[in-house]
Amino acid sequence: MNADTWLSQLQSNGYRLTDSRRAVVEAVAGTSRALTPLEVFDLARPHCDGLGLVTVYRTLEKLEELRLIERVHQAHGCQAFIAAGNGHEHLLLCIRCGSAVRFGGDDLDLLIAGISEKTGYKVKEHWLQLFGLCQNCSE
Ligand SMILES: [Zn+2]
Ligand SMILES: [Zn+2]
């Protein structure tokens, strides 16, 4: 992910580019695992003395609104974020170290058609996230 692209999107949506926002954006864009706001804060603070936690939350909120990052669901809640994928993809997360990969090509049509038939719902969208142990963690 390219931090500059995110920064210019923030800017074109009326956000001034402060050092704090830049530090937050660079922390998230430069990390391939899911980060909680506190982890973002810890990563970004060395690059920006005056950074406050409120700015971290607000910047993450804005990035989520712009669909540049997405919320990651975890056993203890849905507070972590990760750079958004391209198009329709799903996340596979390591429950031990938090590293994440994306996968596409899910074949859920049959399952969804069955559920649709049973419930009478027209299914419009789905959300899927898998958890496991990455290669490093399962050794
Ligand atoms: Zn792992
Ligand atoms: Zn899917």
Side-chain angles (χ1 to χ4, degrees), residues 47-81:
H47 305 285
C48 179
D49 289 338
L51 183 64
L53 198 49
V54 174
T55 305
V56 173
Y57 277 100
R58 291 218 178 113
T59 307
L60 290 174
E61 227 167 69
K62 195 66 199 170
L63 291 171
E64 190 187 15
E65 248 174 69
L66 296 172
R67 294 173 179 266
L68 295 170
I69 60 173
E70 60 188 84
R71 210 170 272 272
V72 173
H73 295 244
Q74 288 170 313
H76 50 272
C78 311
Q79 278 101 29
F81 294 91

Side-chain angles (χ1 to χ4, degrees), residues 11-126:
Q11 203 169 23
S12 61
N13 281 276
Y15 273 67
R16 248 177 350 108
L17 297 187
T18 60
D19 286 349
S20 312
R21 287 197 184 117
R22 188 180 295 275
V24 169
V25 165
E26 278 168 1
V28 185
T31 309
S32 61
R33 58 185 196 89
L35 298 171
T36 63
L38 268 178
E39 289 172 320
V40 174
F41 183 63
D42 286 340
L43 278 173
R45 196 163 39 170
H47 305 285
C48 179
D49 289 338
L51 183 64
L53 198 49
V54 174
T55 305
V56 173
Y57 277 100
R58 291 218 178 113
T59 307
L60 290 174
E61 227 167 69
K62 195 66 199 170
L63 291 171
E64 190 187 15
E65 248 174 69
L66 296 172
R67 294 173 179 266
L68 295 170
I69 60 173
E70 60 188 84
R71 210 170 272 272
V72 173
H73 295 244
Q74 288 170 313
H76 50 272
C78 311
Q79 278 101 29
F81 294 91
I82 195 164
N86 296 315
H88 187 86
E89 284 185 325
H90 300 287
L91 269 183
L92 168 56
L93 282 182
C94 178
I95 50 178
R96 193 161 294 163
C97 71
S99 72
V101 292
R102 289 178 181 282
F103 63 94
D106 61 271
D107 192 2
L108 302 176
D109 291 353
L110 212 60
L111 174 73
I112 290 172
I115 293 168
S116 186
E117 196 166 314
K118 256 184 254 163
T119 60
Y121 276 58
K122 285 196 179 76
V123 178
K124 299 289 193 191
E125 251 184 81
H126 69 263

